[in-house]
Coordinates of all heavy atoms in Angstrom, one line a residue:
Chain I
R748 N 17.2 -42.1 0.6 CA 17.7 -41.8 2.0 C 17.2 -42.9 2.9 O 18.0 -43.4 3.8 CB 17.4 -40.4 2.4 CG 17.9 -40.0 3.8 CD 17.7 -38.6 4.1 NE 16.3 -38.4 4.5 CZ 15.8 -37.3 5.1 NH1 16.6 -36.3 5.3 NH2 14.5 -37.2 5.4
A749 N 15.9 -43.2 2.8 CA 15.3 -44.2 3.7 C 15.8 -45.6 3.4 O 16.1 -46.4 4.4 CB 13.8 -44.1 3.6
L750 N 16.1 -45.9 2.2 CA 16.5 -47.2 1.8 C 18.0 -47.4 2.1 O 18.4 -48.6 2.2 CB 16.2 -47.5 0.3 CG 14.7 -47.7 0.0 CD1 14.5 -47.8 -1.5 CD2 14.2 -49.0 0.6
A751 N 18.7 -46.4 2.1 CA 20.2 -46.5 2.2 C 20.6 -47.0 3.6 O 21.7 -47.5 3.8 CB 20.9 -45.1 2.0
V752 N 19.7 -47.0 4.6 CA 20.1 -47.6 5.9 C 19.7 -49.0 5.9 O 19.8 -49.7 7.0 CB 19.4 -46.8 7.1 CG1 19.9 -45.4 7.1 CG2 17.9 -46.9 7.0
R753 N 19.3 -49.6 4.8 CA 19.0 -51.0 4.7 C 17.9 -51.4 5.7 O 18.2 -52.3 6.5 CB 20.2 -51.9 4.8 CG 21.2 -51.7 3.7 CD 21.6 -53.0 3.0 NE 21.9 -52.8 1.6 CZ 21.1 -53.1 0.6 NH1 19.8 -53.5 0.9 NH2 21.4 -52.9 -0.6
P754 N 16.8 -50.7 5.8 CA 15.8 -51.0 6.8 C 15.1 -52.3 6.6 O 15.1 -52.8 5.4 CB 14.8 -49.9 6.7 CG 14.9 -49.5 5.2 CD 16.3 -49.7 4.8
R755 N 14.6 -52.9 7.6 CA 13.8 -54.1 7.5 C 12.3 -53.8 7.5 O 11.5 -54.6 7.2 CB 14.2 -55.1 8.6 CG 15.6 -55.5 8.4 CD 16.1 -56.4 9.5 NE 15.4 -57.6 9.6 CZ 15.4 -58.4 10.7 NH1 16.1 -58.0 11.7 NH2 14.8 -59.5 10.7
L756 N 12.1 -52.5 7.9 CA 10.7 -52.0 7.8 C 10.8 -50.6 7.2 O 11.5 -49.8 7.6 CB 10.1 -51.9 9.2 CG 8.7 -51.3 9.3 CD1 7.7 -52.0 8.5 CD2 8.3 -51.1 10.8
L757 N 10.0 -50.5 6.0 CA 10.0 -49.2 5.3 C 8.7 -48.5 5.6 O 7.6 -49.2 5.3 CB 10.3 -49.4 3.9 CG 10.3 -48.1 3.0 CD1 11.5 -47.2 3.4 CD2 10.4 -48.5 1.5
L758 N 8.7 -47.3 6.0 CA 7.4 -46.6 6.3 C 7.3 -45.4 5.3 O 8.3 -44.6 5.1 CB 7.4 -46.1 7.7 CG 7.7 -47.1 8.8 CD1 7.9 -46.5 10.1 CD2 6.5 -48.1 8.8
L759 N 6.2 -45.3 4.6 CA 6.0 -44.2 3.7 C 4.7 -43.4 4.1 O 3.6 -44.0 4.0 CB 5.9 -44.7 2.3 CG 7.1 -45.6 1.8 CD1 6.6 -47.0 1.4 CD2 7.7 -44.9 0.6
D760 N 4.9 -42.2 4.4 CA 3.7 -41.3 4.8 C 3.3 -40.5 3.6 O 4.0 -39.5 3.3 CB 4.1 -40.5 6.0 CG 2.9 -39.8 6.6 OD1 1.8 -40.0 6.2 OD2 3.1 -39.1 7.6
E761 N 2.2 -40.9 3.0 CA 1.6 -40.1 1.9 C 2.7 -39.8 0.9 O 2.9 -38.6 0.6 CB 1.0 -38.8 2.4 CG -0.1 -39.0 3.4 CD -1.5 -39.2 2.8 OE1 -1.5 -39.4 1.5 OE2 -2.5 -39.3 3.5
P762 N 3.4 -40.8 0.4 CA 4.6 -40.4 -0.4 C 4.3 -39.7 -1.7 O 5.2 -39.1 -2.3 CB 5.2 -41.8 -0.8 CG 4.0 -42.8 -0.6 CD 3.1 -42.2 0.4
L763 N 3.1 -39.7 -2.2 CA 2.7 -39.0 -3.4 C 1.8 -37.8 -3.3 O 1.5 -37.1 -4.3 CB 2.1 -40.0 -4.4 CG 2.9 -41.3 -4.6 CD1 2.0 -42.3 -5.4 CD2 4.1 -41.0 -5.5
A764 N 1.4 -37.5 -2.0 CA 0.4 -36.5 -1.8 C 0.9 -35.1 -2.2 O 0.1 -34.3 -2.7 CB 0.0 -36.5 -0.4
A765 N 2.2 -34.8 -2.1 CA 2.7 -33.5 -2.4 C 3.0 -33.2 -3.9 O 3.5 -32.2 -4.2 CB 4.0 -33.2 -1.5
L766 N 2.7 -34.2 -4.7 CA 3.1 -34.1 -6.1 C 1.9 -33.7 -7.0 O 0.7 -34.0 -6.7 CB 3.6 -35.4 -6.6 CG 4.8 -36.0 -5.8 CD1 5.2 -37.3 -6.3 CD2 6.0 -35.0 -5.9
D767 N 2.1 -33.0 -8.1 CA 1.0 -32.7 -9.0 C 0.7 -33.9 -9.8 O 1.4 -34.9 -9.9 CB 1.4 -31.5 -9.9 CG 2.6 -31.7 -10.7 OD1 2.6 -32.6 -11.6 OD2 3.7 -31.1 -10.4
A768 N -0.5 -33.9 -10.5 CA -1.1 -35.0 -11.1 C -0.1 -35.7 -12.1 O 0.0 -36.9 -12.2 CB -2.4 -34.7 -11.8
H769 N 0.6 -34.8 -12.9 CA 1.4 -35.4 -13.9 C 2.6 -36.1 -13.4 O 2.9 -37.3 -13.7 CB 1.9 -34.3 -14.9 CG 2.7 -34.7 -16.0 ND1 2.2 -35.5 -17.0 CD2 4.0 -34.6 -16.2 CE1 3.2 -35.8 -17.9 NE2 4.3 -35.3 -17.4
T770 N 3.3 -35.5 -12.4 CA 4.5 -36.1 -11.8 C 4.1 -37.3 -11.1 O 4.9 -38.3 -11.1 CB 5.1 -35.1 -10.8 OG1 5.0 -33.8 -11.3 CG2 6.5 -35.4 -10.5
R771 N 3.0 -37.3 -10.5 CA 2.5 -38.4 -9.7 C 2.5 -39.7 -10.4 O 2.9 -40.7 -9.8 CB 1.0 -38.0 -9.3 CG 0.6 -38.5 -8.0 CD -0.8 -38.1 -7.7 NE -1.4 -38.9 -6.7 CZ -1.7 -38.4 -5.5 NH1 -1.5 -37.1 -5.2 NH2 -2.2 -39.2 -4.6
L772 N 2.1 -39.7 -11.7 CA 2.0 -40.9 -12.5 C 3.4 -41.5 -12.6 O 3.5 -42.7 -12.3 CB 1.5 -40.5 -13.8 CG 0.8 -41.6 -14.6 CD1 -0.5 -41.9 -14.0 CD2 0.5 -41.1 -16.1
D773 N 4.4 -40.7 -12.9 CA 5.7 -41.3 -13.1 C 6.3 -41.7 -11.8 O 6.9 -42.8 -11.7 CB 6.7 -40.2 -13.6 CG 6.2 -39.7 -15.0 OD1 5.5 -40.5 -15.7 OD2 6.6 -38.6 -15.4
V774 N 6.1 -40.9 -10.7 CA 6.7 -41.2 -9.5 C 6.1 -42.5 -8.9 O 6.7 -43.3 -8.3 CB 6.6 -40.0 -8.5 CG1 7.2 -40.4 -7.1 CG2 7.4 -38.8 -9.0
R775 N 4.7 -42.6 -9.1 CA 4.0 -43.8 -8.6 C 4.6 -45.1 -9.3 O 4.9 -46.0 -8.6 CB 2.6 -43.7 -8.9 CG 1.8 -44.8 -8.2 CD 0.3 -44.9 -8.7 NE -0.5 -43.7 -8.3 CZ -1.2 -43.0 -9.2 NH1 -1.1 -43.2 -10.5 NH2 -1.9 -42.0 -8.8
A776 N 4.8 -45.0 -10.6 CA 5.4 -46.1 -11.3 C 6.8 -46.5 -10.7 O 7.1 -47.7 -10.5 CB 5.4 -45.9 -12.8
A777 N 7.6 -45.4 -10.5 CA 9.0 -45.7 -10.0 C 8.9 -46.2 -8.6 O 9.7 -47.2 -8.3 CB 9.7 -44.3 -10.0
L778 N 8.0 -45.7 -7.8 CA 7.9 -46.2 -6.4 C 7.5 -47.6 -6.4 O 8.0 -48.4 -5.6 CB 6.9 -45.3 -5.7 CG 6.7 -45.6 -4.2 CD1 8.0 -45.5 -3.4 CD2 5.7 -44.7 -3.6
H779 N 6.6 -48.0 -7.3 CA 6.1 -49.4 -7.4 C 7.3 -50.3 -7.7 O 7.4 -51.4 -7.1 CB 5.1 -49.5 -8.6 CG 4.5 -50.8 -8.7 ND1 3.7 -51.4 -7.7 CD2 4.5 -51.7 -9.7 CE1 3.4 -52.6 -8.1 NE2 3.8 -52.8 -9.3

Side-chain angles (χ1 to χ4, degrees):
Chain I
R748 184 175 73 169
L750 288 171
V752 297
R753 298 230 148 264
R755 296 173 62 196
L756 173 61
L757 180 66
L758 306 170
L759 303 119
D760 191 0
E761 302 273 8
L763 304 170
L766 304 175
D767 57 68
H769 180 70
T770 322
R771 212 177 162 112
L772 205 68
D773 298 338
V774 177
R775 189 193 291 127
L778 183 58
H779 183 63

